[in-house]
Amino acid sequence: GESVGLHLPTLSVQEGDNSIINCAYSNSASDYFIWYKQESGKGPQFIIDIRSNMDKRQGQRVTVLLNKTVKHLSLQIAATQPGDSAVYFCAELTSGTYKYIFGTGTRLKVLA
Amino acid sequence: GAGVSQTPSNKVTEKGKYVELRCDPISGHTALYWYRQSLGQGPEFLIYFQGTGAADDSGLPNDRFFAVRPEGSVSTLKIQRTERGDSAVYLCASSYVTSGRYTDTQYFGPGTRLTVL
């Protein structure tokens, strides 16, 4: 399958450490945000989402933080595992539209 | 259960040829999206279907690109007179329903890798 993210920013973390992946979104009217994980040769996989009326949402080992003032989104992964190695994308959506806009992505490498 | 499937997984064609890429969404999903992903980039929106109709085709780059979903299930993305710049992975995603505000999770297929020589 296709390799993604050959020229992407890379974050390298030790196994067991926490990871923080950042995303600057583009449209101040966006009110729905999603984080996706994409492994080589596969399509993006939903991780967690957040609506603009929230500033934090937690899932299993993941937390998303939203700062609308500076149009910034972050994904925190607790106790990072080798299986977390992938490219991570944020996506934004403005209500009333269907056009998801994806960021450029960050490659996460988990070091054993 | 079965996820979103896309065929073919790889397609190599020559410049100027016509290609069709197929997407089989998850059964019962009414919303279907096509995206294009170039190397090192995030997916780029092409078109969105709600049922049989294209609710938003603003992402199609030009009139060489066309997509159909005649029975509200399988969709075909058609590219005429292919150009080398069309080379990319074409991703399809489906979801149960999308209201444009509170959306259901999109499930992506593995993509079709298109190479135009």
CSV table of all heavy atoms in Angstrom, one decimal, chain A residues 25-68:
chain,number,residue,atom,x,y,z
A,25,TYR,N,-5.5,24.7,13.4
A,25,TYR,CA,-6.5,24.7,12.4
A,25,TYR,C,-6.7,26.0,11.7
A,25,TYR,O,-6.3,27.0,12.2
A,25,TYR,CB,-7.8,24.1,12.9
A,25,TYR,CG,-8.5,24.8,14.0
A,25,TYR,CD1,-9.5,25.8,13.7
A,25,TYR,CD2,-8.2,24.6,15.4
A,25,TYR,CE1,-10.1,26.5,14.7
A,25,TYR,CE2,-8.9,25.3,16.4
A,25,TYR,CZ,-9.8,26.2,16.0
A,25,TYR,OH,-10.5,26.9,17.0
A,26,SER,N,-7.4,26.0,10.6
A,26,SER,CA,-7.3,27.1,9.7
A,26,SER,C,-8.6,28.1,9.8
A,26,SER,O,-8.4,29.3,9.6
A,26,SER,CB,-7.1,26.7,8.3
A,26,SER,OG,-8.2,25.9,7.9
A,27,ASN,N,-9.7,27.5,10.1
A,27,ASN,CA,-10.9,28.3,10.0
A,27,ASN,C,-11.6,28.5,11.4
A,27,ASN,O,-12.0,27.6,12.1
A,27,ASN,CB,-11.9,27.5,9.1
A,27,ASN,CG,-13.2,28.3,8.8
A,27,ASN,OD1,-13.4,29.3,9.3
A,27,ASN,ND2,-14.0,27.7,7.9
A,28,SER,N,-11.7,29.8,11.7
A,28,SER,CA,-12.3,30.2,13.0
A,28,SER,C,-13.7,29.8,13.1
A,28,SER,O,-14.3,29.7,14.2
A,28,SER,CB,-12.1,31.7,13.3
A,28,SER,OG,-12.7,32.4,12.2
A,29,ALA,N,-14.4,29.5,12.0
A,29,ALA,CA,-15.8,29.1,12.0
A,29,ALA,C,-15.9,27.6,12.2
A,29,ALA,O,-17.1,27.1,12.4
A,29,ALA,CB,-16.5,29.5,10.7
A,30,SER,N,-14.8,26.8,12.2
A,30,SER,CA,-14.9,25.4,12.4
A,30,SER,C,-15.4,25.1,13.8
A,30,SER,O,-15.0,25.7,14.8
A,30,SER,CB,-13.5,24.7,12.2
A,30,SER,OG,-13.2,24.8,10.8
A,31,ASP,N,-16.3,24.1,13.9
A,31,ASP,CA,-16.9,23.8,15.2
A,31,ASP,C,-16.9,22.3,15.6
A,31,ASP,O,-17.5,21.9,16.5
A,31,ASP,CB,-18.2,24.4,15.4
A,31,ASP,CG,-19.2,24.0,14.3
A,31,ASP,OD1,-18.8,23.2,13.5
A,31,ASP,OD2,-20.4,24.5,14.3
A,32,TYR,N,-16.2,21.6,14.8
A,32,TYR,CA,-16.1,20.1,15.0
A,32,TYR,C,-14.7,19.7,14.6
A,32,TYR,O,-14.3,20.0,13.5
A,32,TYR,CB,-17.2,19.4,14.3
A,32,TYR,CG,-17.2,17.9,14.5
A,32,TYR,CD1,-17.4,17.3,15.7
A,32,TYR,CD2,-17.0,17.1,13.4
A,32,TYR,CE1,-17.4,15.9,15.9
A,32,TYR,CE2,-17.0,15.7,13.5
A,32,TYR,CZ,-17.2,15.1,14.8
A,32,TYR,OH,-17.2,13.8,14.9
A,33,PHE,N,-14.1,18.9,15.5
A,33,PHE,CA,-12.7,18.6,15.2
A,33,PHE,C,-12.5,17.1,15.5
A,33,PHE,O,-13.0,16.6,16.5
A,33,PHE,CB,-11.7,19.4,16.1
A,33,PHE,CG,-11.9,20.9,15.9
A,33,PHE,CD1,-12.9,21.5,16.7
A,33,PHE,CD2,-11.2,21.6,15.0
A,33,PHE,CE1,-13.1,22.9,16.6
A,33,PHE,CE2,-11.5,23.0,14.9
A,33,PHE,CZ,-12.4,23.6,15.7
A,34,ILE,N,-11.7,16.5,14.7
A,34,ILE,CA,-11.4,15.0,14.9
A,34,ILE,C,-9.9,14.7,14.7
A,34,ILE,O,-9.2,15.4,14.0
A,34,ILE,CB,-12.1,14.2,13.8
A,34,ILE,CG1,-13.6,14.7,13.5
A,34,ILE,CG2,-12.1,12.7,14.1
A,34,ILE,CD1,-13.7,15.5,12.3
A,35,TRP,N,-9.5,13.8,15.5
A,35,TRP,CA,-8.1,13.2,15.3
A,35,TRP,C,-8.2,11.8,14.7
A,35,TRP,O,-9.0,11.0,15.1
A,35,TRP,CB,-7.4,13.1,16.7
A,35,TRP,CG,-6.8,14.4,17.1
A,35,TRP,CD1,-7.3,15.3,18.1
A,35,TRP,CD2,-5.6,15.0,16.7
A,35,TRP,NE1,-6.5,16.3,18.2
A,35,TRP,CE2,-5.4,16.2,17.4
A,35,TRP,CE3,-4.6,14.6,15.7
A,35,TRP,CZ2,-4.3,17.0,17.2
A,35,TRP,CZ3,-3.5,15.5,15.5
A,35,TRP,CH2,-3.4,16.6,16.3
A,36,TYR,N,-7.4,11.6,13.7
A,36,TYR,CA,-7.3,10.3,13.0
A,36,TYR,C,-5.9,9.8,13.1
A,36,TYR,O,-4.9,10.5,13.1
A,36,TYR,CB,-7.6,10.5,11.5
A,36,TYR,CG,-9.0,10.7,11.2
A,36,TYR,CD1,-9.5,12.0,11.0
A,36,TYR,CD2,-10.0,9.7,11.1
A,36,TYR,CE1,-10.8,12.3,10.7
A,36,TYR,CE2,-11.3,9.9,10.8
A,36,TYR,CZ,-11.7,11.2,10.6
A,36,TYR,OH,-13.0,11.5,10.3
A,37,LYS,N,-5.8,8.5,13.1
A,37,LYS,CA,-4.5,7.7,13.1
A,37,LYS,C,-4.5,7.0,11.7
A,37,LYS,O,-5.4,6.4,11.3
A,37,LYS,CB,-4.5,6.7,14.2
A,37,LYS,CG,-3.3,5.8,14.2
A,37,LYS,CD,-3.5,4.7,15.3
A,37,LYS,CE,-2.3,3.7,15.4
A,37,LYS,NZ,-2.5,2.7,16.4
A,38,GLN,N,-3.3,7.1,11.0
A,38,GLN,CA,-3.2,6.4,9.8
A,38,GLN,C,-1.9,5.6,9.8
A,38,GLN,O,-0.8,6.1,9.8
A,38,GLN,CB,-3.2,7.4,8.6
A,38,GLN,CG,-3.3,6.7,7.2
A,38,GLN,CD,-3.5,7.6,6.1
A,38,GLN,OE1,-3.1,8.8,6.1
A,38,GLN,NE2,-4.1,7.1,5.0
A,39,GLU,N,-2.1,4.3,9.6
A,39,GLU,CA,-0.9,3.4,9.5
A,39,GLU,C,-0.6,3.2,8.0
A,39,GLU,O,-1.5,3.3,7.2
A,39,GLU,CB,-1.2,2.1,10.2
A,39,GLU,CG,-1.4,2.2,11.7
A,39,GLU,CD,-1.9,1.0,12.4
A,39,GLU,OE1,-3.0,0.6,12.1
A,39,GLU,OE2,-1.1,0.4,13.2
A,40,SER,N,0.6,2.8,7.7
A,40,SER,CA,1.0,2.7,6.3
A,40,SER,C,0.1,1.7,5.6
A,40,SER,O,-0.1,0.6,6.0
A,40,SER,CB,2.5,2.2,6.3
A,40,SER,OG,2.9,2.2,4.9
A,41,GLY,N,-0.4,2.1,4.4
A,41,GLY,CA,-1.2,1.3,3.6
A,41,GLY,C,-2.6,1.2,4.0
A,41,GLY,O,-3.4,0.4,3.4
A,42,LYS,N,-3.0,1.9,5.0
A,42,LYS,CA,-4.4,1.9,5.5
A,42,LYS,C,-5.1,3.3,5.4
A,42,LYS,O,-4.4,4.3,5.3
A,42,LYS,CB,-4.5,1.4,6.9
A,42,LYS,CG,-3.9,0.0,7.1
A,42,LYS,CD,-4.1,-0.5,8.5
A,42,LYS,CE,-3.6,-1.9,8.7
A,42,LYS,NZ,-3.7,-2.4,10.1
A,43,GLY,N,-6.4,3.3,5.5
A,43,GLY,CA,-7.1,4.5,5.6
A,43,GLY,C,-7.0,5.1,7.0
A,43,GLY,O,-6.7,4.4,7.9
A,44,PRO,N,-7.3,6.4,7.1
A,44,PRO,CA,-7.3,7.0,8.5
A,44,PRO,C,-8.4,6.3,9.4
A,44,PRO,O,-9.4,5.9,8.9
A,44,PRO,CB,-7.7,8.4,8.2
A,44,PRO,CG,-7.4,8.7,6.8
A,44,PRO,CD,-7.6,7.4,6.1
A,45,GLN,N,-8.0,6.2,10.7
A,45,GLN,CA,-8.9,5.6,11.6
A,45,GLN,C,-9.3,6.6,12.7
A,45,GLN,O,-8.4,7.2,13.3
A,45,GLN,CB,-8.2,4.4,12.3
A,45,GLN,CG,-8.9,3.7,13.4
A,45,GLN,CD,-8.1,2.6,14.0
A,45,GLN,OE1,-6.9,2.4,13.7
A,45,GLN,NE2,-8.7,1.9,15.0
A,46,PHE,N,-10.5,6.8,13.0
A,46,PHE,CA,-11.0,7.7,14.0
A,46,PHE,C,-10.4,7.4,15.4
A,46,PHE,O,-10.4,6.2,15.8
A,46,PHE,CB,-12.5,7.6,14.1
A,46,PHE,CG,-13.2,8.4,15.2
A,46,PHE,CD1,-13.6,9.7,14.9
A,46,PHE,CD2,-13.4,7.9,16.4
A,46,PHE,CE1,-14.2,10.5,16.0
A,46,PHE,CE2,-14.0,8.6,17.4
A,46,PHE,CZ,-14.4,9.9,17.2
A,47,ILE,N,-9.9,8.4,16.1
A,47,ILE,CA,-9.5,8.3,17.4
A,47,ILE,C,-10.4,8.9,18.4
A,47,ILE,O,-10.9,8.3,19.3
A,47,ILE,CB,-8.0,8.9,17.6
A,47,ILE,CG1,-7.0,8.3,16.6
A,47,ILE,CG2,-7.6,8.7,19.0
A,47,ILE,CD1,-5.7,9.0,16.7
A,48,ILE,N,-10.6,10.2,18.2
A,48,ILE,CA,-11.4,11.0,19.2
A,48,ILE,C,-11.9,12.3,18.5
A,48,ILE,O,-11.2,12.8,17.6
A,48,ILE,CB,-10.6,11.3,20.5
A,48,ILE,CG1,-11.5,11.8,21.6
A,48,ILE,CG2,-9.5,12.2,20.2
A,48,ILE,CD1,-10.9,11.9,22.9
A,49,ASP,N,-13.0,12.8,18.9
A,49,ASP,CA,-13.5,14.1,18.4
A,49,ASP,C,-13.8,15.0,19.5
A,49,ASP,O,-13.9,14.6,20.7
A,49,ASP,CB,-14.7,13.8,17.5
A,49,ASP,CG,-15.9,13.2,18.1
A,49,ASP,OD1,-15.8,12.9,19.4
A,49,ASP,OD2,-16.9,13.0,17.5
A,50,ILE,N,-14.0,16.3,19.2
A,50,ILE,CA,-14.4,17.3,20.1
A,50,ILE,C,-15.2,18.4,19.4
A,50,ILE,O,-14.9,18.7,18.3
A,50,ILE,CB,-13.2,17.9,20.9
A,50,ILE,CG1,-13.7,18.8,22.0
A,50,ILE,CG2,-12.3,18.6,19.9
A,50,ILE,CD1,-12.5,19.1,23.0
A,51,ARG,N,-16.3,18.9,20.1
A,51,ARG,CA,-17.1,20.0,19.5
A,51,ARG,C,-16.6,21.3,20.1
A,51,ARG,O,-16.0,21.3,21.2
A,51,ARG,CB,-18.5,19.7,19.8
A,51,ARG,CG,-19.0,18.4,19.3
A,51,ARG,CD,-20.5,18.2,19.3
A,51,ARG,NE,-20.8,16.8,19.1
A,51,ARG,CZ,-20.7,16.1,18.0
A,51,ARG,NH1,-20.3,16.6,16.9
A,51,ARG,NH2,-21.1,14.8,18.0
A,52,SER,N,-16.9,22.4,19.5
A,52,SER,CA,-16.3,23.6,19.9
A,52,SER,C,-16.9,24.2,21.2
A,52,SER,O,-16.3,25.1,21.7
A,52,SER,CB,-16.6,24.7,18.8
A,52,SER,OG,-18.0,24.8,18.5
A,53,ASN,N,-18.0,23.6,21.7
A,53,ASN,CA,-18.5,24.0,23.0
A,53,ASN,C,-17.7,23.3,24.1
A,53,ASN,O,-18.1,23.5,25.3
A,53,ASN,CB,-20.0,23.7,23.1
A,53,ASN,CG,-20.3,22.3,22.9
A,53,ASN,OD1,-19.5,21.4,22.6
A,53,ASN,ND2,-21.6,22.0,23.2
A,54,MET,N,-16.7,22.6,23.8
A,54,MET,CA,-15.9,21.9,24.8
A,54,MET,C,-14.4,22.4,24.6
A,54,MET,O,-14.0,22.8,23.6
A,54,MET,CB,-16.0,20.4,24.7
A,54,MET,CG,-17.4,19.8,24.7
A,54,MET,SD,-17.4,18.1,24.3
A,54,MET,CE,-16.6,17.4,25.7
A,55,ASP,N,-13.6,22.3,25.7
A,55,ASP,CA,-12.2,22.5,25.5
A,55,ASP,C,-11.3,21.3,25.9
A,55,ASP,O,-10.1,21.3,25.6
A,55,ASP,CB,-11.7,23.7,26.4
A,55,ASP,CG,-12.1,23.6,27.8
A,55,ASP,OD1,-12.4,22.5,28.3
A,55,ASP,OD2,-12.2,24.6,28.5
A,56,LYS,N,-12.0,20.2,26.3
A,56,LYS,CA,-11.2,19.0,26.6
A,56,LYS,C,-12.2,17.8,26.5
A,56,LYS,O,-13.3,17.9,26.9
A,56,LYS,CB,-10.7,19.1,28.1
A,56,LYS,CG,-9.9,17.9,28.5
A,56,LYS,CD,-9.3,18.1,29.9
A,56,LYS,CE,-8.5,17.0,30.4
A,56,LYS,NZ,-8.0,17.2,31.8
A,57,ARG,N,-11.6,16.7,26.0
A,57,ARG,CA,-12.4,15.5,26.0
A,57,ARG,C,-11.4,14.3,26.1
A,57,ARG,O,-10.4,14.3,25.5
A,57,ARG,CB,-13.2,15.4,24.7
A,57,ARG,CG,-14.2,14.2,24.7
A,57,ARG,CD,-15.1,14.3,23.5
A,57,ARG,NE,-16.2,13.3,23.7
A,57,ARG,CZ,-16.7,12.6,22.7
A,57,ARG,NH1,-16.2,12.7,21.5
A,57,ARG,NH2,-17.6,11.7,23.0
A,58,GLN,N,-11.8,13.4,26.9
A,58,GLN,CA,-10.9,12.2,27.2
A,58,GLN,C,-11.5,11.0,26.7
A,58,GLN,O,-12.7,10.7,26.7
A,58,GLN,CB,-10.7,12.1,28.7
A,58,GLN,CG,-9.8,13.2,29.3
A,58,GLN,CD,-9.5,13.0,30.7
A,58,GLN,OE1,-10.4,13.1,31.6
A,58,GLN,NE2,-8.3,12.8,31.0
A,59,GLY,N,-10.6,10.1,26.2
A,59,GLY,CA,-11.0,8.8,25.7
A,59,GLY,C,-10.1,7.8,26.5
A,59,GLY,O,-9.5,8.1,27.5
A,60,GLN,N,-10.0,6.6,25.9
A,60,GLN,CA,-9.1,5.6,26.5
A,60,GLN,C,-7.7,5.9,26.1
A,60,GLN,O,-7.3,5.9,24.9
A,60,GLN,CB,-9.5,4.2,26.0
A,60,GLN,CG,-8.7,3.1,26.7
A,60,GLN,CD,-9.2,1.7,26.2
A,60,GLN,OE1,-9.9,1.6,25.2
A,60,GLN,NE2,-8.8,0.7,26.9
A,61,ARG,N,-6.9,6.3,27.0
A,61,ARG,CA,-5.5,6.7,26.9
A,61,ARG,C,-5.3,8.0,26.0
A,61,ARG,O,-4.1,8.4,25.8
A,61,ARG,CB,-4.6,5.6,26.2
A,61,ARG,CG,-4.2,4.5,27.2
A,61,ARG,CD,-3.0,3.8,26.7
A,61,ARG,NE,-3.1,3.3,25.3
A,61,ARG,CZ,-2.3,3.6,24.3
A,61,ARG,NH1,-1.3,4.5,24.5
A,61,ARG,NH2,-2.5,3.1,23.1
A,62,VAL,N,-6.3,8.6,25.5
A,62,VAL,CA,-6.2,9.8,24.7
A,62,VAL,C,-7.0,10.9,25.2
A,62,VAL,O,-8.1,10.7,25.8
A,62,VAL,CB,-6.5,9.5,23.2
A,62,VAL,CG1,-5.6,8.6,22.5
A,62,VAL,CG2,-8.0,9.0,23.1
A,63,THR,N,-6.5,12.1,25.1
A,63,THR,CA,-7.2,13.4,25.5
A,63,THR,C,-7.0,14.4,24.4
A,63,THR,O,-5.9,14.5,23.8
A,63,THR,CB,-6.6,13.9,26.8
A,63,THR,OG1,-6.7,13.0,27.8
A,63,THR,CG2,-7.3,15.2,27.2
A,64,VAL,N,-8.0,15.0,24.0
A,64,VAL,CA,-8.0,16.1,23.0
A,64,VAL,C,-8.2,17.4,23.7
A,64,VAL,O,-9.2,17.5,24.5
A,64,VAL,CB,-8.9,15.9,21.8
A,64,VAL,CG1,-10.3,15.7,22.3
A,64,VAL,CG2,-8.8,17.0,20.8
A,65,LEU,N,-7.4,18.4,23.5
A,65,LEU,CA,-7.6,19.8,24.0
A,65,LEU,C,-7.8,20.7,22.9
A,65,LEU,O,-7.2,20.7,21.8
A,65,LEU,CB,-6.3,20.2,24.8
A,65,LEU,CG,-5.9,19.3,26.0
A,65,LEU,CD1,-4.7,19.8,26.6
A,65,LEU,CD2,-7.1,19.3,27.0
A,66,LEU,N,-8.8,21.6,23.1
A,66,LEU,CA,-9.1,22.6,22.0
A,66,LEU,C,-8.9,24.0,22.6
A,66,LEU,O,-9.5,24.3,23.6
A,66,LEU,CB,-10.5,22.4,21.6
A,66,LEU,CG,-11.1,23.4,20.6
A,66,LEU,CD1,-10.4,23.4,19.3
A,66,LEU,CD2,-12.6,23.1,20.4
A,67,ASN,N,-8.2,24.8,21.9
A,67,ASN,CA,-8.0,26.3,22.3
A,67,ASN,C,-8.5,27.1,21.1
A,67,ASN,O,-7.8,27.3,20.1
A,67,ASN,CB,-6.6,26.6,22.6
A,67,ASN,CG,-6.4,28.0,23.1
A,67,ASN,OD1,-7.1,28.9,22.8
A,67,ASN,ND2,-5.4,28.2,24.0
A,68,LYS,N,-9.7,27.6,21.2
A,68,LYS,CA,-10.3,28.3,20.1
A,68,LYS,C,-9.7,29.7,19.9
A,68,LYS,O,-9.7,30.2,18.9
A,68,LYS,CB,-11.8,28.4,20.3
A,68,LYS,CG,-12.5,27.0,20.2
A,68,LYS,CD,-14.0,27.2,20.4
A,68,LYS,CE,-14.4,27.5,21.8
A,68,LYS,NZ,-14.2,26.5,22.8
